[in-house]
């Protein structure tokens, strides 16, 4: 299996029906890890863990942003 990093992902499928992995609120941010798995967070928890997430993420997709952020 080949891992591919895409930067043109649609944010339409980011939050529906995903809920924050920390508290269960509606997800606003998806963090893609090098392993291919991902984490989703509400805005509050994404801001709280921002520095740590940037250290481990290969991509951070914010539903409120136009463009994905490559970490």
């Amino acid at each position: 299996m080949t891992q591919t990093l895409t930067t043109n992902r649609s944010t339409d499928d980011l939050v529906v029906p995903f809920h924050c992995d920390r508290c269960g609120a509606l997800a606003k941010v998806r963090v893609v890890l090098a392993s291919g798995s991902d984490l989703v967070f509400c805005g509050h928890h994404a801001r709280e863990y921002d520095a740590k997430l940037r250290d481990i993420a290969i991509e951070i997709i914010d539903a409120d942003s136009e463009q994905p952020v490559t970490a």
Side-chain angles (χ1 to χ4, degrees):
M1 184 164 106
T2 304
Q3 291 183 0
T4 304
L5 175 64
T6 60
T7 57
N8 296 358
R9 278 190 200 186
S10 169
T11 57
D12 294 342
D13 65 345
L14 170 63
V15 294
V16 181
F18 297 108
H19 295 274
C20 178
D21 289 335
R22 185 70 174 116
C23 70
L26 188 62
K28 295 284 186 178
V29 176
R30 174 176 279 165
V31 179
V32 181
L33 306 175
S35 67
S37 60
D38 61 358
L39 302 169
V40 291
F41 294 100
C42 64
H44 166 80
H45 285 111
R47 286 186 302 276
E48 181 177 340
Y49 300 122
D50 183 66
K52 291 179 184 178
L53 294 173
R54 290 184 184 280
D55 287 342
I56 63 170
I58 60 169
E59 184 176 24
I60 298 173
I61 306 163
D62 187 335
D64 294 334
S65 174
E66 294 286 323
Q67 298 275 334
V69 177
T70 303

